[in-house]
């Protein structure tokens, strides 16, 4: 669904927002308790739908660990709940938004439903 180049380019462009989310200087719709419950039920930390390339999932995780270490000024060995349930959904939302030229809210809805619009596939 997403090429390696597209994933790398989109995430590097999104890095300032990721840093703000880690530092607490920005909020996410995924922080909302109702939305957070849905995300936790999706088990997003185990299944990074819609990324179908496992090595790219690993690359994203390592990339996030590096940003997390830099922002928190400590070694990040495990992904915390903030990363699992807020940062990763934001990244996947951003990939969907960029790939299919959707608004942020449309991309959030697509992510939460885990179904791409038929006209876009």
């Amino acid at each position: 669904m997403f090429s390696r180049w597209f994933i790398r380019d989109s995430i590097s462009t999104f890095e300032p927002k990721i840093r703000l989310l880690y530092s607490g200087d920005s909020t996410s719709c995924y922080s909302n308790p109702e939305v957070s419950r849905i995300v936790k039920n999706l088990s997003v930390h185990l299944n990074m739908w819609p990324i179908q390339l496992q090595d790219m999932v690993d690359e994203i995780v390592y990339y996030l660990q590096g940003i997390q270490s830099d922002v928190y000024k400590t070694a990040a060995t495990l992904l915390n709940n903030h990363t699992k349930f807020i940062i990763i959904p934001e990244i996947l939302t951003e990939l969907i938004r960029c790939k299919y030229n959707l608004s942020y809210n449309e991309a959030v809805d697509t992510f939460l439903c885990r179904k791409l619009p038929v006209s876009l596939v």
Side-chain angles (χ1 to χ4, degrees):
M1 178 183 298
F2 300 119
S3 70
R4 294 174 193 288
W5 173 86
F6 178 79
I7 293 170
R8 289 178 181 137
D9 186 55
S10 296
I11 291 175
S12 65
T13 303
F14 195 59
E15 183 176 337
K17 173 73 174 181
I18 295 169
R19 289 181 174 278
L20 289 173
L21 288 166
Y22 270 123
S23 69
D25 293 333
S26 182
T27 58
S28 167
C29 75
Y30 296 107
S31 300
N32 173 307
E34 183 62 27
V35 175
S36 179
R37 182 184 58 76
I38 295 169
V39 170
K40 287 177 183 175
N41 288 338
L42 292 176
S43 299
V44 70
H45 61 289
L46 298 174
N47 181 6
M48 289 186 50
W49 176 91
I51 299 176
Q52 298 170 341
L53 306 167
Q54 183 59 44
D55 61 321
M56 288 307 299
V57 171
D58 294 340
E59 186 173 315
I60 291 168
V61 169
Y62 297 141
Y63 183 75
L64 291 177
Q65 286 174 329
I67 293 174
Q68 182 181 347
S69 291
D70 187 46
V71 170
Y72 294 157
K73 305 298 183 213
T74 61
T77 56
L78 299 174
L79 296 179
N80 61 19
N81 284 340
H82 184 73
T83 300
K84 292 177 193 174
F85 302 124
I86 294 176
I87 306 292
I88 289 174
E90 283 288 350
I91 286 173
L92 296 176
T93 298
E94 182 66 8
L95 290 173
I96 292 167
R97 189 190 68 74
C98 291
K99 174 83 174 186
Y100 298 106
N101 197 25
L102 299 174
S103 71
Y104 177 78
N105 289 336
E106 290 170 328
V108 168
D109 290 343
T110 298
F111 172 76
L112 292 175
C113 293
R114 292 178 72 159
K115 187 173 183 181
L116 294 173
V118 174
S119 62
L120 300 176
V121 176

